[in-house]
Amino acid sequence: MKSKCFEARVLTLFPEMFPGPLSYSLAGKAMENKIWNLNTINIRDYAEDKHGTVDDEPYGGGAGMIMRPDVLGRAFDENNPGREWKKIILTPRGKPLTQKKVREISSKPGVIIVCGRYEGIDERFISSRSLDEVCIGDYVLSGGEPAALILIDAIVRLLTGTMGSKESLIEESFENNLLEYPQYTRPFDWEGMKPPEVLLSGNHSEIEKWRRYMALEDTKKRRPELLISEKK
Ligand code: SAM
């Protein structure tokens, strides 16, 4: 049975930023093959005045402008896909994005993503529409669009049919809370450095053992918190 096409619906003030990098390589091919499709919605189309106003000054004063809840509310409600979809707003105040979350989103029929701009978004819009607040890292971008591109790219890789081999997904970093083991390819001798001998042995169980060991050791050294969260 052919699976249904996954839809990424993005609410943004800059629809021209999409699909951008998503039209290349794996994601681009997957879009061509109708494994997923993209629908961008311009938030400004839902402004009511002749200037297309989407933001206003913060109550309580302070720097910057805040995106208005009435404009966002209309944009969201008129494009709300229903209960089965994941509904996400990108914000530095959200929970950190993880591979587990990406996997959860990729199992849905689609995702609606709200991109913020300026100083942020009126809190009433976020809470009234029960949006899942997601942060892509502990740094501040000037807008949600680059974060949406990253999120969609990570989702599309997991959709059935995007990647040639399912194995490449199983062994990747963050699956089983481990980083991937180190990889090597030709030339055999590069600047005096050679790949570990075990990889040339042809002994698959030894290779697997070595890879598992290296994945564990590298995770301990580089990202010990991943192993701690595995025990929880
Ligand atoms: N004043 C906000 C704060 O300190 O939390 C930052 C606003 S930022 C300049 C504008 C928009 O970029 C945000 O509303 C959000 O949509 C997006 N953004 C910035 N950094 C992000 C991050 N790390 N993860 C997800 N979205 C981010």
Side-chain angles (χ1 to χ4, degrees):
M1 200 177 72
K2 204 164 181 291
S3 52
K4 272 187 130 185
C5 183
F6 182 94
E7 182 180 329
R9 200 172 289 182
V10 183
L11 268 60
T12 170
L13 285 170
F14 296 96
E16 59 278 15
M17 286 191 183
F18 296 87
L22 295 172
S23 60
Y24 295 90
S25 187
L26 273 182
K29 264 263 157 341
M31 193 190 261
E32 257 173 54
N33 292 337
K34 306 211 175 344
I35 289 166
W36 75 288
N37 75 317
L38 178 71
N39 187 0
T40 48
I41 287 123
N42 192 340
I43 296 168
R44 203 173 295 281
D45 291 345
Y46 296 86
E48 279 192 324
D49 64 351
K50 63 174 190 249
H51 304 293
T53 306
V54 294
D55 57 345
D56 214 321
E57 292 163 357
Y59 279 121
M65 299 294 271
I66 307 300
M67 290 176 76
R68 292 173 56 121
D70 54 341
V71 180
L72 280 168
R74 275 191 297 277
F76 185 85
D77 294 346
E78 287 191 27
N79 295 285
N80 188 352
R83 273 197 300 163
E84 280 179 50
W85 281 39
K86 205 76 194 152
K87 299 173 181 94
I88 294 205
I89 187 153
L90 292 160
T91 161
R93 283 162 43 89
K95 285 215 181 112
L97 181 62
T98 60
Q99 187 69 4
K100 189 171 168 211
K101 170 69 85 188
V102 174
R103 196 168 281 287
E104 183 198 336
I105 302 169
S106 71
S107 70
K108 307 281 178 192
V111 63
I112 183 163
I113 302 170
V114 182
C115 300
R117 276 275 153 183
Y118 316 127
E119 207 46 46
I121 294 164
D122 189 301
E123 190 63 26
R124 293 168 294 178
F125 166 68
I126 302 171
S127 54
S128 66
R129 299 310 189 262
S130 307
L131 301 179
D132 205 348
E133 295 175 70
V134 169
C135 168
I136 65 151
D138 292 349
Y139 41 80
V140 179
L141 302 167
S142 47
E145 291 77 10
L149 292 168
I150 287 170
L151 173 60
I152 296 169
D153 183 272
I155 296 167
V156 169
R157 296 182 81 250
L158 298 183
L159 299 175
T160 307
T162 297
M163 302 272 282
S165 145
K166 278 202 169 152
E167 264 174 42
S168 352
L169 290 174
I170 294 165
E171 302 234 313
E172 271 187 328
S173 293
F174 308 116
E175 297 298 333
N176 306 315
N177 289 58
L178 290 172
L179 300 177
E180 194 181 54
Y181 44 80
Q183 300 271 24
Y184 301 85
T185 186
R186 290 187 180 85
F188 173 69
D189 188 332
W190 182 69
E191 297 190 346
M193 293 178 281
K194 300 184 178 84
E197 261 173 44
V198 64
L199 299 180
L200 307 157
S201 67
N203 184 333
H204 294 295
S205 84
E206 283 304 309
I207 293 172
E208 209 178 294
K209 237 197 277 172
W210 179 86
R211 285 181 165 166
R212 169 85 197 167
Y213 172 78
M214 289 305 292
L216 204 56
E217 285 303 299
D218 281 352
T219 311
K220 265 194 238 167
K221 270 188 242 152
R222 295 166 187 224
R223 298 288 305 276
E225 78 281 7
L226 291 177
L227 296 169
I228 293 161
S229 65
E230 187 175 29
K231 285 185 199 140
K232 272 184 199 162

